[in-house]
C-alpha cells in the first residue's frame, strides 16, 4: 500500500456501497492478473505434460501427470532446421552475443555520455543529438546496408550481431548515461581538474563510483533488448549461429513431423527465462529504464 | 610570491559579451574581493583564472607566466566552490588528498599533509566520514582543506560562504580572514555580500555588467565611491539618494529638491561650477543623517529638510528610522530614536562634509564637492 | 582603464604551456571516436544508402541506376503493399486505443490504495520483459482453434463454439492486437501510474475538502494534470505499432496468406526473399516518413503545451 496514492478517500468509511466498490475493484484487478499470468502458466504447464496427453486433451488443460521429458528434449534433442542438438547451443549463442554486446555498448555509452556532459565543446550538443537520432528509427531502414556491411566484414555470425547491437544500442546507452551525468554537478569535475586529474582519472575515480544505479539500469535494458531481439538475429545469422529467439522461431520436436507442444513450450520458457529472471530480481531497475528510456527517447 | 595579471581579458558566450576588457593586477599576498550583483560575471572571471573556461580575448598571467591557455592543473591554483564540490564517494581524507595523489606526491607525505591541514581546520575527527555525513559548515571546512593541502600559489574562492546560515557565515568569515593573514597567500574571493567584501578584502573590485566600476581599498570604496552604483551597492542599509537642482544666484548656491523643498547652501560655489545649471544626485549614508532636536539644532555646513517619520525599526545596537520625502524615502541610522514616533515631522540634517554628489547624467561622483564643502 | 595600484607585471616570461590541454582534448576526441564512427556509419550513411537504394532500380543486388521517385508511385500498385499498409492503419489505431484504455484503467485501479499493489504491478508488467517471439508463440497456441480457447470451450461441451480468428483472413489482424495488448498494456500502466504519483497531493486534498467525489477528482483534477503523459504514451504506442514485426511473425507468420502483412514484414520479405531491394527500400522510407510525421505531431504538441503553460 502506498500513501502517495491519489485516492485515499475511497477507503475512509465503510458504507455498504464502498465495500461493494472495493470488492468490484479487487475482482477486476484479479481478473486482469489472470489475463496476464495465464499465457505463461499455460506454457509452463504444457512443458510439463506428456505429448500423448496434449494431443488427446489439447493445450489448455491440466496435466494428468508431470514429466520432465519435454524439458530434456527441448534442451538437448529438439531440432532447429536439421540441427538436432536442442536449444542448448543456441542458448549459448545468445549468451556469447549478449555478454560482450551489453558490456561494450554500456561502456561506450558511459564514456560518450560522460564526455558529452562533462567536457562540453562547441558542437557537443549537436554531437549528442546526432548520436541519439537513430533511436526511433525502424530497424527495417538499416537492414540492407547492415547486411552488406556484415557480408563485407565476413561477420554473418554472433560477432556480427555483437557489432550490430553496438551500432544500434549506443544511442540508448548514451542517452541513459547522459541524462544521468547531467545531474552530477559540473563543479565536481572542475574541482578534480584543478586537483590535477585527467579525463580518465576523473571518470574512474569520481564519475564511475557515482554510476552504479544507472549502470544497473542500462545493463538490464541492453541485456533484455539484445536477448529478446529477433529481426537482426533471424536476418543476419544462419544455421548453427542463430541466437535463441531466432532458433525458437524454427524449433521443432526431436522427431520432426508432428508438432511437439511440450518441447516447444519448454523451449519458449528456456528462451524467456533469462530476461524473466532479471525482471524478477531487478524489476525496479527494469521499470526505471523502461519509463526513462521511452519517455526521453 | 604570486601575482595575477588580468590583461584586457574579455569573455563572450556567442554574441553575448559577458566580460568587457578587464584589467586587474593582483599583488602578492593580496585578498582581492570581486563583488557585484548576480550575473555580473564574477564567477565567469574566476573560472577563467582557474582555467575552467576559455578566455575569449586578452591574457592571464600568474606570477608573470602567461597561463591564458594552460590546463587548470598547470596553473598551481586551488579553488573553493559555492557548492563545495566535494567528491561524494570519497571520505574526507580522500577528498583532501586527491589532489596530492594526482600530483604523484608520495603516500607518507600525503598522509602528513592531510593531517596537518585537518588539524589547522579542526576537522581531524571527520577524516573518515563521507561528505553526506557532514554539516554545511563542516563541508565548507573540508572544501577549504582540499584547497589548502596543495599549498598552491593562488586561492580562488567563489562565494564560499553563501550556503551557510548567517551565524556560521560570520564565524567562517573571521576564520578565512585569519587564515589569509597567517598564510599570506594571494586570494581572489567572489561574493555578492558587501559586508563580506568590506571585512575581508585588502582591495575590492566592484563589478557590474562585466565591467569594473571601482577597484580600491575598502575604506575608499565606502567613503569615495566612484559612482552611484558603487555607492548603493556597498553599505547597508543602502545609501540615500535625493535628486537636486543646483541654482546659482547672487546669494550663493541653492540646492532644490523635488517638490517645494529647497535650501540655500552658501558653501557650495564649486558644486555649481562643476555642474552649472544641471541637476545632481545627492547621496548620504544612513549613519550620516542626523535628526535635529531642540538641544542639538542645525549646524553650519548642514543641509536640512523637514521629513515625516514613517517607521522606526530598532535592531538592538541601532535604530533604523525611515523618513518619507514626497514619493521617496530616506533612511537614518542612529543610536536611539526613542524620543520620536511614527508620524512625527522632524528635520533631517545632512552633513555636507559626508554628502556625496553624483552627476545625474553619468552617475559618476562629482569629486570637487566634498573638498569644497570642507 | 587600468585599476592597478602598482606597476603592471613584467611581460610573459615563458611560452604558453599547451601540453596538458592538448592532451586532454586529444583524449576527449579519442573517447568520442567510436561514437562518432558508429553514428556516422550506422545511422547516417546507412540511412542515406537506403534512401538512395529506394531511388534506384535495384532488384536482387544493389544497383546505382537512378530512377528517381518512380518507386514511390509504383509501390502502390502492389496488392501486397496495399494490404500491408492497410493493415497498419487498421491495426495501429485499434491497438493504441485498446492498449491505452486498458493501461490507464489498470493504473487508476491500482492507484486506489490497493493491497498487494506491487504484486499486481509486477504481474501486469512482466510481458514487457519477454521477447515478442515468445509472446507470439504463446498466443499462437491459445488462439489456434485446434489447441487453444476454441478446443477448450468445445471440450467443455459447447460443441458449436467457434473462435478461429487467427485462421480467418478478415480477422487474423485482430489477434495480433490481442497479443500485443497483452504485452504492452502493463507498460502504459507503469507510465501512467508514475505520472499519477507525481500529482501534487495538496491539489487532491483541496479538491477533497471541496467535497468532490473520487471520480470527479480524477476527471477534473488528476487526469488533466498528467495529460502530457497520455500524449507521450500514445506517441510511444504509435511508434511501436509502426515497428510491429516479430510478434506477427511468431503469431501468424504474416498469414493466412498475406492477411496480416504489415510494412515491416513487407520490407524484410522483399529485401531478402524476393530480391526487390528498391521496392523494400521504398517501403522502409515510407515507414520513416510516417515516423517523422508522428514525431512532428508529438513535438508540435509539446511546443504548444509549453507555450500554454507559460501564459
Ligand atoms: N555557459 C554560459 N553560456 C551563456 N551565458 C553564460 C554562461 N555562463 C554564464 N553566462 C552568463 O554570463 C553572465 C555572468 O555569469 P556569472 O555566473 O559569471 O555571474 P556571477 O556574477 O557569478 O553571478 P552570481 O552572483 O549569480 O553567481 C550571466 O549573465 C550568465 O547568464
Ligand atoms: Mg557566481
Amino acid at each position: 500500500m502506498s500513501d502517495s496514492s491519489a485516492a485515499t478517500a475511497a477507503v475512509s468509511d465503510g458504507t455498504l456501497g464502498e465495500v461493494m466498490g472495493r470488492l468490484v475493484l479487487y475482482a477486476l484487478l484479479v481478473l486482469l492478473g489472470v489475463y496476464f499470468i495465464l499465457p505463461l502458466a499455460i506454457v509452463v504447464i504444457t512443458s510439463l505434460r506428456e505429448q500423448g496427453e496434449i494431443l488427446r486433451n489439447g493445450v489448455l488443460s491440466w496435466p494428468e501427470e508431470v514429466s520432465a521429458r519435454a524439458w530434456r528434449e527441448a534442451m538437448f534433442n529438439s531440432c532447429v532446421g536439421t540441427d538436432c542438438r536442442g536449444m542448448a547451443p543456441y542458448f549459448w549463442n545468445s549468451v556469447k552475443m549478449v555478454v560482450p554486446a551489453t558490456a561494450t555498448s554500456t561502456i561506450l555509452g558511459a564514456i560518450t555520455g560522460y564526455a558529452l556532459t562533462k567536457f562540453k565543446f562547441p558542437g557537443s550538443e549537436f554531437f549528442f543529438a546526432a548520436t541519439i537520432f537513430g533511436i526511433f528509427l525502424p530497424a527495417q531502414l538499416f537492414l540492407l546496408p547492415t547486411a552488406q556491411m556484415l557480408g563485407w566484414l565476413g561477420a554473418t555470425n554472433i560477432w556480427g550481431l555483437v557489432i550490430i547491437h553496438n551500432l544500434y544500442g549506443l544511442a540508448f546507452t548514451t542517452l541513459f548515461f547522459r541524462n544521468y551525468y547531467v545531474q552530477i554537478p559540473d563543479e565536481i569535475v572542475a574541482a578534480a581538474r584543478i586537483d590535477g586529474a585527467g579525463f580518465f582519472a576523473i571518470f574512474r575515480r569520481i564519475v564511475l563510483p557515482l554510476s552504479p544505479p544507472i549502470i544497473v539500469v542500462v545493463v538490464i535494458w541492453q541485456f533484455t533488448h539484445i536477448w529478446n531481439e529477433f529481426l537482426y538475429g533471424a536476418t543476419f545469422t544462419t544455421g548453427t549461429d542463430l541466437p535463441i529467439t531466432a532458433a525458437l522461431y524454427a524449433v521443432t520436436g526431436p522427431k520432426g513431423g508432428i508438432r511437439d507442444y511440450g518441447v516447444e513450450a519448454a523451449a519458449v520458457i528456456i528462451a524467456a527465462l533469462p530476461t524473466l529472471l532479471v525482471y524478477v530480481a531487478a524489476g525496479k531497475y527494469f521499470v526505471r529504464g523502461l519509463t526513462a528510456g521511452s519517455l526521453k527517447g | 610570491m604570486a601575482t595575477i595579471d588580468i590583461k584586457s581579458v574579455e569573455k563572450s558566450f556567442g554574441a553575448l559579451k559577458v566580460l568587457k576588457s578587464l584589467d586587474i593586477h593582483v599583488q602578492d599576498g593580496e585578498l582581492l574581493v570581486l563583488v557585484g550583483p548576480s550575473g555580473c560575471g564574477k564567477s565567469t572571471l574566476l573560472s577563467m583564472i582557474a582555467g575552467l573556461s576559455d578566455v575569449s580575448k586578452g591574457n592571464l598571467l600568474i606570477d608573470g607566466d602567461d597561463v591564458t591557455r594552460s590546463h587548470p592543473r598547470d596553473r598551481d591554483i586551488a579553488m573553493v566552490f559555492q557548492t563545495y564540490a566535494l567528491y561524494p564517494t570519497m571520505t574526507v581524507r580522500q577528498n583532501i588528498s586527491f589532489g596530492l595523489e594526482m600530483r604523484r606526491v608520495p603516500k607518507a607525505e600525503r598522509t602528513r599533509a592531510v593531517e596537518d591541514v585537518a588539524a589547522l581546520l579542526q576537522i581531524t575527527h571527520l577524516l573518515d566520514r563521507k561528505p553526506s555525513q557532514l554539516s554545511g559548515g563542516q563541508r565548507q571546512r573540508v572544501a577549504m582543506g582540499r584547497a589548502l593541502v596543495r599549498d598552491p600559489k593562488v586561492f580562488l574562492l567563489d562565494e564560499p560562504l553563501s550556503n551557510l546560515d548567517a551565524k556560521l557565515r560570520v564565524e567562517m568569515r573571521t576564520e578565512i580572514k585569519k587564515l589569509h593573514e597567517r598564510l599570506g597567500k594571494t586570494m581572489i574571493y567572489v561574493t555578492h555580500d558587501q559586508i563580506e567584501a568590506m571585512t575581508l578584502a585588502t582591495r575590492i573590485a566592484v563589478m557590474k555588467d562585466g565591467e569594473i566600476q571601482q577597484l580600491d581599498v575598502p575604506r575608499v570604496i565606502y567613503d569615495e565611491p566612484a559612482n552611484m552604483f558603487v555607492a548603493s551597492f556597498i553599505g547597508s542599509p543602502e545609501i540615500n539618494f535625493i535628486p537636486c537642482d543646483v541654482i546659482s544666484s547672487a546669494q550663493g548656491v541653492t540646492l532644490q529638491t523635488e517638490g517645494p523643498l529647497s535650501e540655500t547652501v552658501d558653501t557650495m560655489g564649486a558644486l555649481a561650477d562643476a555642474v552649472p545649471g544641471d541637476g545632481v544626485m545627492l547621496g548620504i549614508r544612513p549613519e550620516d543623517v542626523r535628526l535635529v532636536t531642540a538641544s542639538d539644532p542645525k549646524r553650519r555646513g548642514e543641509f536640512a529638510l523637514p521629513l515625516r517619520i514613517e517607521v522606526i525599526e530598532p535592531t538592538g545596537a541601532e535604530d533604523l528610522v525611515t523618513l518619507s520625502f514626497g514619493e521617496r524615502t530616506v533612511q537614518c541610522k542612529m543610536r536611539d530614536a526613542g524620543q520620536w514616533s511614527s508620524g512625527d515631522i522632524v528635520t533631517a540634517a545632512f552633513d555636507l562634509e559626508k554628502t556625496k554628489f553624483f552627476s545625474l547624467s553619468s552617475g559618476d561622483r562629482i569629486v570637487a564637492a566634498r573638498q569644497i564643502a570642507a | 582603464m587600468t585599476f592597478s595600484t602598482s606597476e603592471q607585471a613584467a611581460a610573459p616570461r615563458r611560452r604558453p604551456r599547451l601540453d596538458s590541454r592538448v592532451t586532454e582534448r586529444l583524449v576527449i576526441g579519442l573517447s568520442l571516436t567510436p561514437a562518432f564512427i558508429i553514428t556516422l556509419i550506422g545511422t547516417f550513411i546507412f540511412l542515406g544508402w537506403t534512401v538512395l537504394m529506394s531511388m534506384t532500380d535495384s532488384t536482387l543486388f544493389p544497383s546505382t541506376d537512378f530512377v528517381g521517385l518512380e518507386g514511390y508511385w509504383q509501390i502502390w500498385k502492389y496488392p501486397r503493399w496495399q494490404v500491408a499498409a492497410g493493415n497498419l492503419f487498421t491495426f495501429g489505431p485499434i491497438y493504441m486505443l485498446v492498449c491505452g484504455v486498458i493501461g490507464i484503467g489498470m493504473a487508476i485501479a491500482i492507484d486506489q490504495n490497493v493491497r498487494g499493489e506491487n504484486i499486481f504491478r509486477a504481474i501486469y508488467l512482466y510481458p514487457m520483459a519477454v521477447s515478442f517471439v515468445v509472446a507470439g508463440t504463446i498466443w499462437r497456441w491459445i488462439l489456434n482453434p485446434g489447441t487453444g480457447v476454441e478446443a477448450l470451450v468445445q471440450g467443455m461441451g459447447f460443441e458449436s463454439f467457434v473462435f478461429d480468428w487467427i485462421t480467418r483472413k478478415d480477422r487474423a489482424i485482430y489477434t495480433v492486437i490481442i497479443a500485443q495488448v497483452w504485452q504492452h498494456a502493463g507498460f502504459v500502466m507503469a507510465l501512467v501510474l508514475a505520472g499519477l504519483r507525481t500529482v501534487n497531493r495538496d491539489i487532491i486534498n483541496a479538491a477533497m475538502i471541496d467535497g468532490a467525489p473520487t471520480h470527479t477528482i480524477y476527471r477534473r483534477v488528476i487526469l488533466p494534470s498528467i495529460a502530457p503523459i497520455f500524449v507521450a504514451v500514445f506517441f510511444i504506442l504509435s511508434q511501436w505499432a509502426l515497428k510491429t514485426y516479430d510478434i506477427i511473425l511468431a503469431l501468424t507468420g504474416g498469414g493466412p496468406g498475406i492477411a496480416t502483412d504489415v510494412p515491416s514484414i513487407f520490407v524484410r520479405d522483399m529485401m531478402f526473399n524476393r530480391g526487390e531491394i528498391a521496392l523494400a527500400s521504398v517501403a522502409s522510407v515510407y515507414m520513416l516518413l510516417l515516423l517523422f510525421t508522428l514525431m512532428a505531431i508529438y513535438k508540435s504538441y509539446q511546443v504548444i503545451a509549453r507555450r500554454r503553460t507559460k501564459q
Side-chain angles (χ1 to χ4, degrees):
Chain A
M1 281 222 304
S2 166
D3 266 343
S4 58
S5 167
T8 358
V11 280
S12 52
D13 46 89
T15 64
L16 185 65
E18 274 170 9
V19 171
M20 289 299 289
R22 298 296 287 176
L23 277 179
V24 171
L25 176 68
Y26 278 102
L28 196 76
L29 286 170
V30 170
L31 216 63
L32 278 166
V34 170
Y35 166 62
F36 283 102
I37 206 78
L38 206 58
L40 185 65
I42 290 169
V43 186
V44 173
I45 292 169
T46 307
S47 75
L48 297 172
R49 294 167 66 198
E50 277 297 349
Q51 169 76 350
E53 182 201 320
I54 297 174
L55 291 180
R56 242 180 296 121
N57 302 347
V59 171
L60 303 184
S61 72
W62 207 246
E64 287 168 7
E65 59 187 298
V66 172
S67 140
R69 175 205 66 96
W71 278 84
R72 261 193 323 272
E73 296 205 333
M75 206 65 189
F76 304 111
N77 304 112
S78 59
C79 303
V80 176
T82 54
D83 171 28
C84 291
R85 291 176 299 152
M87 295 298 277
Y90 298 96
F91 191 94
W92 284 119
N93 280 352
S94 271
V95 172
K96 280 186 282 183
M97 165 185 74
V98 80
V99 171
T102 301
T104 49
S105 62
T106 303
I107 292 168
L108 269 182
I111 290 181
T112 309
Y114 161 66
L116 290 179
T117 47
K118 295 296 169 243
F119 290 84
K120 290 217 167 93
F121 51 89
S124 56
E125 291 299 317
F126 176 79
F127 192 112
F128 173 68
T131 307
I132 64 161
F133 176 74
I135 224 165
F136 291 114
L137 304 186
Q140 274 74 11
L141 278 164
F142 303 108
L143 282 180
L144 176 70
T146 310
Q148 290 179 272
M149 179 190 72
L150 293 182
W152 182 71
L153 291 173
T156 50
N157 50 28
I158 288 299
W159 290 108
L161 293 182
V162 172
I163 294 174
I164 290 177
H165 288 303
N166 271 293
L167 232 47
Y168 302 116
L170 180 73
F172 276 103
T173 57
T174 302
L175 178 72
F176 276 123
F177 279 107
R178 191 204 92 118
N179 286 349
Y180 186 79
Y181 288 154
V182 288
Q183 299 167 28
I184 297 178
D186 290 344
E187 282 89 8
I188 293 184
V189 174
R193 290 179 77 208
I194 293 174
D195 265 347
F199 181 85
F200 280 108
I202 298 173
F203 183 63
R204 206 167 47 80
R205 298 289 303 274
I206 291 156
V207 173
L208 214 50
L210 286 168
S211 305
I214 192 67
I215 292 176
V216 174
V217 166
V218 172
V219 165
I220 288 179
W221 170 279
Q222 283 298 90
F223 176 85
T224 311
H225 277 77
I226 296 173
W227 185 274
N228 287 342
E229 203 284 324
F230 172 76
L231 175 60
Y232 296 129
T235 308
F236 300 126
T237 55
T238 48
T240 54
D241 280 331
L242 294 176
I244 194 155
T245 44
L248 176 67
Y249 182 61
V251 78
T252 54
K255 297 164 210 85
I258 347 149
R259 304 200 56 171
D260 190 331
Y261 286 104
V263 169
E264 282 182 43
V268 161
I269 299 171
I270 292 166
L273 209 55
T275 52
L276 277 179
L277 286 181
V278 166
Y279 178 75
V280 171
K284 189 176 77 174
Y285 294 98
F286 177 81
V287 177
R288 202 178 293 168
L290 208 56
T291 43
S294 53
L295 278 183
K296 300 263 169 55
Chain B
M1 150 83 188
T3 57
I4 302 170
D5 287 280
I6 296 164
K7 294 187 165 179
S8 321
V9 162
E10 291 185 13
K11 178 71 185 180
S12 318
F13 292 108
L16 179 72
K17 209 171 202 179
V18 177
L19 291 178
K20 295 155 195 161
S21 193
L22 297 184
D23 280 286
I24 303 176
H25 170 70
V26 186
Q27 287 158 272
D28 180 40
E30 201 175 358
L31 196 165
L32 177 77
V33 171
L34 297 176
V35 69
S38 194
C40 71
K42 308 179 296 286
S43 298
T44 305
L45 178 57
L46 208 62
S47 71
M48 285 196 301
I49 299 172
L52 298 170
S53 62
D54 292 340
V55 176
S56 305
K57 223 185 237 174
N59 284 36
L60 261 170
L61 280 66
I62 294 180
D63 232 5
D65 294 339
D66 191 324
V67 295
T68 315
R69 315 219 172 279
S70 307
H71 191 279
R73 113 171 43 117
D74 301 329
R75 298 187 182 203
D76 202 10
I77 44 135
M79 187 156 171
V80 177
F81 295 86
Q82 181 175 1
T83 54
Y84 315 138
L86 301 179
Y87 311 130
T89 53
M90 298 185 196
T91 61
V92 169
R93 188 189 303 278
Q94 291 166 328
N95 259 282
I96 296 176
S97 73
F98 185 72
L100 298 177
E101 193 186 328
M102 289 296 121
R103 279 155 213 274
R104 307 220 154 69
V105 174
K107 183 128 205 257
E109 211 172 303
R110 256 168 25 212
T111 315
R112 188 154 26 85
V114 172
E115 299 289 343
D116 289 350
V117 165
L120 178 70
L121 293 167
Q122 295 154 23
I123 50 174
T124 308
H125 60 294
L126 304 174
L127 281 176
D128 292 316
R129 292 206 201 161
K130 291 272 177 73
S132 57
Q133 300 164 315
L134 301 177
S135 71
Q138 292 169 333
R139 281 178 210 183
Q140 217 287 321
R141 280 166 195 270
V142 176
M144 291 294 296
R146 193 169 65 180
L148 288 170
V149 75
R150 273 186 18 231
D151 192 27
K153 280 186 192 157
V154 174
F155 288 90
L156 306 173
L157 302 99
D158 192 354
E159 308 197 26
L161 304 182
S162 62
N163 278 348
L164 299 178
D165 63 48
K167 190 165 168 292
L168 213 50
R169 197 179 312 170
V170 175
E171 262 176 55
M172 284 306 297
R173 195 174 73 200
T174 313
E175 263 186 65
I176 289 178
K177 178 137 191 165
K178 284 198 290 193
L179 266 175
H180 174 249
E181 283 173 358
R182 180 162 160 189
L183 301 170
K185 288 281 179 181
T186 310
M187 298 187 177
I188 299 185
Y189 186 108
V190 165
T191 180
H192 51 224
D193 179 338
Q194 46 94 19
I195 298 181
E196 250 169 53
M198 289 296 290
T199 51
L200 285 173
T202 54
R203 284 193 302 157
I204 297 177
V206 182
M207 292 178 64
K208 183 192 167 200
D209 297 339
E211 283 178 308
I212 291 194
Q213 303 292 310
Q214 192 172 8
L215 176 86
D216 218 317
V217 296
R219 223 352 78 211
V220 173
I221 297 270
Y222 192 78
D223 288 338
E224 298 167 28
N227 54 39
M228 283 172 64
F229 174 78
V230 175
S232 67
F233 194 80
I234 302 286
S236 170
E238 239 179 72
I239 192 167
N240 299 298
F241 283 124
I242 302 166
C244 305
D245 285 330
V246 182
I247 299 161
S248 290
S249 62
Q251 296 92 327
V253 177
T254 307
L255 276 183
Q256 182 161 13
T257 62
E258 280 173 346
L261 300 169
S262 74
E263 172 94 348
T264 307
V265 186
D266 50 4
T267 56
M268 293 194 58
L271 181 64
D273 292 344
V275 276
D278 200 355
V280 295
M281 186 64 92
L282 180 157
I284 180 104
R285 296 208 180 271
E287 65 268 27
D288 299 329
V289 176
R290 193 171 69 85
L291 298 190
V292 174
T293 60
S295 60
D296 190 2
K298 182 188 164 212
R299 301 168 194 158
R300 226 184 101 74
E302 277 185 340
F303 171 61
L305 291 174
L307 302 176
R308 203 180 101 92
I309 296 181
E310 287 296 320
V311 62
I312 300 175
E313 297 162 285
T315 64
E318 277 143 347
D319 288 353
L320 204 58
V321 184
T322 305
L323 306 138
S324 73
F325 165 59
E327 294 290 292
R328 289 170 183 275
T329 59
V330 171
Q331 286 201 307
C332 159
K333 197 155 84 174
M334 61 195 305
R335 181 68 196 90
D336 179 13
Q339 55 182 304
W340 293 286
S341 53
S342 304
D344 289 355
I345 305 289
V346 295
T347 303
F350 308 147
D351 183 348
L352 279 173
E353 193 177 337
K354 303 256 175 71
T355 308
K356 304 158 203 356
F357 292 96
F358 301 91
S359 154
L360 266 181
S361 49
S362 70
D364 289 342
R365 193 163 59 91
I366 300 162
V367 180
R370 198 178 69 96
Q371 290 148 3
I372 304 306
Chain C
M1 75 186 137
T2 303
F3 289 97
S4 76
T5 51
S6 74
E7 274 174 46
Q8 290 289 304
R13 281 202 306 252
R14 238 190 280 165
R15 265 170 45 78
R17 278 185 294 193
L18 284 168
D19 44 345
S20 291
R21 267 213 165 174
V22 171
T23 320
E24 189 174 78
R25 286 185 186 171
L26 219 64
V27 170
I28 295 169
L30 277 176
S31 74
L32 286 174
T33 305
F36 179 78
I37 293 172
I38 285 176
T39 304
L40 183 69
I41 296 177
T43 306
F44 292 99
I45 293 182
F46 280 11
L47 196 59
W49 183 248
T50 299
V51 173
L52 180 73
M53 281 299 120
S54 75
M55 298 180 188
T56 64
D57 61 0
S58 308
T59 49
L60 189 55
F61 296 103
S63 127
T64 44
D65 289 341
F66 197 71
V67 297
L69 295 177
E70 188 60 29
Y72 288 82
W73 322 129
Q74 291 299 327
I75 191 172
W76 293 102
K77 298 200 180 121
Y78 286 76
R80 184 162 167 199
W81 172 252
Q82 291 169 8
V83 172
N87 271 342
L88 181 61
F89 283 98
T90 32
F91 153 80
I94 301 177
Y95 150 74
M96 286 163 60
L97 193 71
V98 176
C99 209
V101 167
I102 292 182
I104 293 166
M106 290 195 303
I108 294 176
I110 281 194
D111 197 32
Q112 306 305 311
N113 256 319
V114 165
R115 233 173 267 266
E117 175 192 317
N118 290 338
I119 296 171
F120 284 117
R121 282 168 60 170
I123 290 175
Y124 297 166
L125 191 57
Y126 88 90
M128 277 298 290
V130 302
S131 114
F132 287 105
V133 181
V134 168
T137 309
I138 297 175
W139 281 98
R140 189 175 71 221
W141 298 340
I142 297 175
L143 297 169
N144 184 330
T147 56
V149 175
E150 186 181 293
L152 178 76
V153 178
Q154 286 179 354
M156 291 190 304
F158 303 94
E159 297 290 341
S160 58
F161 180 82
V162 177
F163 184 61
D164 58 354
W165 286 12
I166 199 166
T167 60
R168 283 173 53 183
K169 284 196 168 178
D170 57 333
R171 291 289 160 81
I173 193 72
Y174 299 106
T175 62
V176 178
I177 296 173
I178 297 176
Q180 194 147 334
V181 165
W182 174 79
Q183 197 158 24
H184 290 163
F187 166 78
V188 175
M189 173 213 68
L191 274 196
V192 174
L193 195 58
L196 287 174
R197 295 286 155 85
T198 62
V199 175
N200 189 342
R201 290 286 311 156
D202 293 342
I203 303 176
I204 298 164
N205 286 337
M208 279 182 188
I209 291 164
D210 285 345
T214 309
H215 61 91
T216 311
I217 296 177
Y218 269 100
R219 205 159 38 80
R220 301 281 297 279
V221 180
I222 300 174
L223 297 184
S225 72
I226 58 167
I229 294 206
F230 292 142
V231 179
V233 162
F234 281 106
F235 171 62
I236 295 162
L237 290 179
S238 68
Q239 267 190 70
W240 285 352
L242 176 64
K243 293 174 190 167
T244 305
Y245 174 78
D246 332 21
I247 199 164
I248 300 185
L249 220 56
L251 191 66
T252 66
I258 54 165
T260 51
D261 205 2
V262 286
S264 59
I265 294 182
F266 180 90
V267 172
R268 160 86 207 278
D269 206 30
M270 288 298 155
M271 194 161 288
F272 295 110
N273 301 339
R274 305 285 161 102
E276 293 274 14
I277 286 179
L279 185 67
S281 301
V282 166
S284 69
V285 174
Y286 268 120
M287 288 176 73
L288 178 70
L289 293 177
L290 183 56
L291 187 85
F292 280 164
T293 311
L294 293 170
M295 278 165 82
I297 294 171
Y298 182 54
K299 286 291 165 213
S300 43
Y301 161 82
Q302 283 185 323
V303 170
I304 291 167
R306 210 168 298 144
R307 210 171 287 157
R308 208 178 296 155
T309 46
K310 260 192 203 142
Q311 279 166 6

